[in-house]
Amino acid sequence: MFYTPSSELPTHLILRNQLRQVFFPSLGIHLPRPPQLFPSSPSSEASSKWLDAHYDPMANIHTFSACLELADLHGDGEYKLVVGDLGPGGQQPRLKVLKGPTVLSESPLPALPAAAATFLMEQHEPRTPALALASGPCVYVYKNLRPYFKFSLPQLPPNPLEQDLWHQAKEDRIDPLTLKEMLEGIREKAEVPLSAQSLRFLQLEPSEMEAFVNQHKSKSIRRQTVITTMTTLKKNLADEDAVSCLVLGTENKELLVLDPEAFTVLAKMSLPSVPVFLEVSGQFDVEFRLAAACRNGNIYILRRDSKRPRYCIELSAQPVGLVRVHKVLVVGSNRDSLHGFTHKGKRLWTVQMPAAILTMNLLEQRSRGLQAVMAGLANGEVRIHRDKALLSVVRTPDAVTSLCFGRYGREDHTLIVTTRGGGLIIKILKRTAVFVEGGGEAGPPPAQAMKLNMPRKTRLYVDQTLREREAGTAMHRAFQADLYLLRLRAARAYAQALESSLSPVSATAREPLKLHAVNTSTARPILGLLVCFLYNEGLYALPRAFFKVPLLVPGLSYPLETFVESLRDKGVSDIIKVLVLREGQSAPLLSAHINMPASEGLAAA
């Protein structure tokens, strides 16, 4: 199906003693298998989960994961690969359809592709899926690889100031240089962006401006947004072959849901920023949840009948990919890490990658009920994770730019990889392969599995073990008695502190105070408080040992100072008690003990 015969390989790879036999059940034939094309670990081939089906470093495919799609375009059970090729090096973007390793058809595109998706438009037989390709402001719909429908985004109202400037240029009331200066002022301050015509004009050299104005001044100003991302949403059933709607993200910070038959806008939602990645779940007519990763570094969650986001996940870095694995949103960031979030924004886990993440996609093995996330890295690795666990590592000879996993041809589990140099890699998952946590390189170090040299059991250890086994009930009762006694003593000490006002916080609701002279009440000032110092008059002298506290306003701190003079010359210190009283009451409201240090003058002597 996808196999490159050994006769087409470089001569230095054709080693007779390394040729092996590979059997593809979908074809029912045996083909010789060349030696391994990609570097791998020293593990044997039997432990590998993947079969190398095809590698073409000169395939000239330049795309990203959103523009890769596997679909049964003709309804014959033969799945093909749809590629929205970017056409680097000044080439025109093209829509390519591959069958196995060969290109089946090519067709030019008017603008760079943004996303590709396949969906069922209707329930009528034959159930042939349609192909939707987003490019510029349009969605091109194909059926049986033939153009079927073209949907264009509705035009936006132009900036009135910009429209007036071009009208003046049409009547030759302003020259091109004045027009440029005024358009630059509008671009910096106006809330409504400029049209593509004005932006193109601002990029020209002064010698080219007059010709451009003469060519376009008679044309009406049109402001057209473009599509940045696209995905599909089931209409009313959750079945795999159910009718789906297209969900579009636009440069105008909007999300549009299109009817699959009439291609009218069923719902419109606004976002605070431009969406770049979309993930949806549910059905449009029942209940759905939509996650949009935007250019401002946030992920917004929307639900049915909500015009604006309900939840927001703030990331610490820009997102480079978004994949939904069951009920977890897996986000790749430009800080070389994967993050797992719930739909309400709670972070579940984080995994650090060994290199920069270039692309992400979903790996789903329905026969085993497995869903995992694939991350293509700049070091040429494809890492497959289920939550934090690393399941597998696939190495490629170049940096990975796009990933796709699914049914290709008649093989149910095929991995499609494109590289930075335009190469195409096709790998087939073995039917006996089982993904086990820790199957990759990451995981605990080998030393963790080594047994420790435990010391021998001593006679004392054996005697204590026997004692605990025989007197376990009595020991537990003694422990409980000691615990209850400790709680009783703590309660008595706390009650005594409240009765004698030894606590630094008052226990009455009328005077909510702390000892630091802070009124803890939020609305009521306090009057009539006194401060008294109790001390040993043979050791200290306080000229102001009793004074009245001013009005305490809530929320303010009041420093109240007094001087203490040491009367002994032998460095003896004692405790000074501070009491906060209310006029007419004998019991203090607050009290504290200050452990006085030795006098500084005596210590120096």
Side-chain angles (χ1 to χ4, degrees):
M1 181 180 60
F2 320 127
Y3 192 78
T4 302
S6 61
S7 59
E8 299 179 9
L9 293 171
T11 55
H12 67 277
L13 290 179
I14 305 177
L15 303 177
R16 183 175 301 175
N17 60 346
Q18 292 186 1
L19 291 179
R20 293 178 290 271
Q21 295 291 322
V22 176
F23 175 64
F24 290 98
S26 60
L27 299 178
I29 59 174
H30 290 269
L31 291 176
R33 178 178 177 179
Q36 196 170 5
L37 301 182
F38 315 115
S40 61
S41 60
S43 60
S44 63
E45 184 185 351
S47 63
S48 176
K49 301 179 178 64
W50 302 93
L51 297 173
D52 298 330
H54 177 71
Y55 172 47
D56 183 7
M58 307 299 294
N60 196 26
I61 295 178
H62 300 84
T63 186
F64 45 92
S65 297
C67 292
L68 282 184
E69 190 71 20
L70 294 170
D72 182 10
L73 299 176
H74 296 94
D76 55 358
E78 188 80 15
Y79 279 67
K80 300 174 180 62
L81 175 64
V82 179
V83 180
D85 195 279
L86 302 178
Q91 301 178 9
Q92 186 178 11
R94 306 185 72 84
L95 173 63
K96 298 181 179 180
V97 179
L98 282 75
K99 180 180 180 181
T102 60
V103 178
L104 188 64
S105 66
E106 288 189 38
S107 57
L109 295 174
L112 290 174
T118 56
F119 66 106
L120 282 174
M121 300 172 52
E122 53 192 9
Q123 294 286 355
H124 304 301
E125 297 292 340
R127 306 290 301 280
T128 304
L131 170 64
L133 186 75
S135 178
C138 302
V139 177
Y140 300 94
V141 182
Y142 299 82
K143 291 197 72 174
N144 295 317
L145 289 181
R146 296 180 180 179
Y148 178 79
F149 187 81
K150 174 185 174 182
F151 171 80
S152 299
L153 293 176
Q155 293 188 5
L156 303 175
N159 191 314
L161 297 177
E162 175 192 7
Q163 203 168 12
D164 182 64
L165 286 176
W166 281 100
H167 182 71
Q168 295 181 30
K170 179 181 179 181
E171 298 178 352
D172 297 330
R173 289 189 289 173
I174 55 175
D175 56 9
L177 292 177
T178 305
L179 176 62
K180 179 182 179 181
E181 293 178 1
M182 300 184 73
L183 287 177
E184 288 178 345
I186 295 176
R187 181 175 60 176
E188 295 176 358
K189 299 179 181 180
E191 296 181 358
V192 179
L194 296 178
S195 63
Q197 176 178 322
S198 298
L199 294 176
R200 170 72 182 181
F201 173 73
L202 293 177
Q203 296 175 352
L204 299 177
E205 297 294 332
S207 59
E208 303 173 346
M209 290 181 180
E210 186 173 356
F212 185 88
V213 171
N214 294 331
Q215 181 182 357
H216 294 85
K217 64 183 181 180
S218 59
K219 298 180 181 179
S220 59
I221 299 298
R222 296 181 180 180
R223 192 164 67 92
Q224 183 76 59
T225 186
V226 295
I227 301 171
T228 58
T229 181
M230 180 177 66
T231 187
T232 58
L233 171 64
K234 299 296 183 182
K235 182 92 168 48
N236 47 28
L237 296 175
D239 300 338
E240 184 179 354
D241 57 348
V243 175
S244 301
C245 305
L246 291 178
V247 182
L248 309 179
T250 68
E251 192 75 28
N252 199 36
K253 305 177 185 178
E254 289 183 340
L255 296 177
L256 305 178
V257 182
L258 304 184
D259 184 84
E261 295 182 348
F263 289 97
T264 56
V265 178
L266 297 178
K268 181 185 294 186
M269 292 161 277
S270 299
L271 292 171
S273 182
V274 179
V276 290
F277 301 106
L278 289 177
E279 278 294 336
V280 298
S281 60
Q283 299 89 47
F284 178 79
D285 292 339
V286 183
E287 180 63 35
F288 68 88
R289 186 172 291 165
L290 194 151
C294 298
R295 288 182 188 163
N296 62 354
N298 295 337
I299 300 176
Y300 298 98
I301 311 298
L302 300 97
R303 304 186 69 174
R304 189 174 185 269
D305 299 331
S306 62
K307 300 299 181 182
R308 294 192 173 274
R310 297 193 59 178
Y311 301 101
C312 174
I313 303 175
E314 296 184 359
L315 304 177
S316 58
Q318 287 292 328
V320 296
L322 177 65
V323 176
R324 182 177 60 87
V325 181
H326 296 299
K327 294 184 178 181
V328 178
L329 291 175
V330 182
V331 185
S333 70
N334 61 355
R335 292 186 179 176
D336 310 343
S337 57
L338 286 177
H339 308 277
F341 292 92
T342 65
H343 280 86
K344 292 187 177 180
K346 180 182 179 181
R347 188 193 298 267
L348 300 176
W349 49 265
T350 298
V351 175
Q352 194 68 26
M353 295 286 110
I357 302 174
L358 301 182
T359 184
M360 293 171 55
N361 215 331
L362 177 68
L363 183 148
E364 185 173 10
Q365 193 178 8
R366 291 189 176 91
S367 59
R368 300 185 184 274
L370 171 69
Q371 281 191 354
V373 61
M374 303 183 297
L377 308 182
N379 62 355
E381 290 183 351
V382 178
R383 292 193 164 232
I384 303 174
H385 279 265
R386 180 171 58 189
D387 295 336
K388 295 179 64 175
L390 178 63
L391 302 183
S392 179
V393 178
V394 179
R395 292 178 178 82
T396 64
D398 197 0
V400 178
T401 56
S402 66
L403 294 169
C404 186
F405 184 85
R407 184 178 176 88
Y408 190 25
R410 297 187 184 275
E411 290 290 336
D412 289 332
H413 306 127
T414 307
L415 175 63
I416 310 294
V417 181
T418 65
T419 60
R420 181 177 295 168
L424 174 64
I425 301 172
I426 303 176
K427 290 178 176 286
I428 299 175
L429 184 65
K430 291 181 180 179
R431 286 175 169 79
T432 57
V434 177
F435 289 107
V436 181
E437 295 185 4
E441 293 181 345
Q448 185 170 324
M450 297 175 58
K451 292 185 178 180
L452 299 177
N453 294 325
M454 301 298 295
R456 297 182 61 183
K457 297 179 181 178
T458 62
R459 182 64 184 175
L460 177 62
Y461 172 81
V462 175
D463 293 344
Q464 290 293 337
T465 304
L466 293 176
R467 173 177 171 271
E468 292 176 2
R469 186 180 302 171
E470 295 172 356
T473 304
M475 295 174 65
H476 178 70
R477 289 175 179 173
F479 170 76
Q480 290 293 332
D482 294 341
L483 180 61
Y484 291 147
L485 182 60
L486 177 63
R487 291 174 178 173
L488 177 61
R489 290 177 178 174
R492 286 177 177 174
Y494 180 68
Q496 184 179 1
L498 293 179
E499 292 176 359
S500 58
S501 299
L502 296 177
S503 172
V505 180
S506 62
T508 61
R510 290 185 57 190
E511 293 85 12
L513 293 172
K514 289 183 180 178
L515 185 61
H516 299 289
V518 176
N519 182 4
T520 59
S521 175
T522 59
R524 183 166 57 87
I526 297 179
L527 286 169
L529 297 183
L530 304 171
V531 174
C532 177
F533 296 92
L534 299 181
Y535 57 95
N536 188 344
E537 297 182 357
L539 295 177
Y540 301 106
L542 274 76
R544 192 183 177 202
F546 182 83
F547 55 86
K548 190 172 183 179
V549 178
L551 173 69
L552 297 182
V553 179
L556 298 180
S557 299
Y558 294 84
L560 304 176
E561 300 178 353
T562 187
F563 292 93
V564 180
E565 181 183 358
S566 178
L567 302 179
R568 295 289 182 94
D569 56 354
K570 296 182 180 180
V572 181
S573 61
D574 198 3
I575 296 176
I576 296 180
K577 295 181 181 180
V578 184
L579 305 178
V580 178
L581 309 169
R582 172 170 286 280
E583 295 180 356
Q585 295 183 3
S586 59
L589 299 176
L590 299 174
S591 65
H593 292 185
I594 301 176
N595 294 318
M596 297 298 296
S599 174
E600 294 182 0
L602 294 177

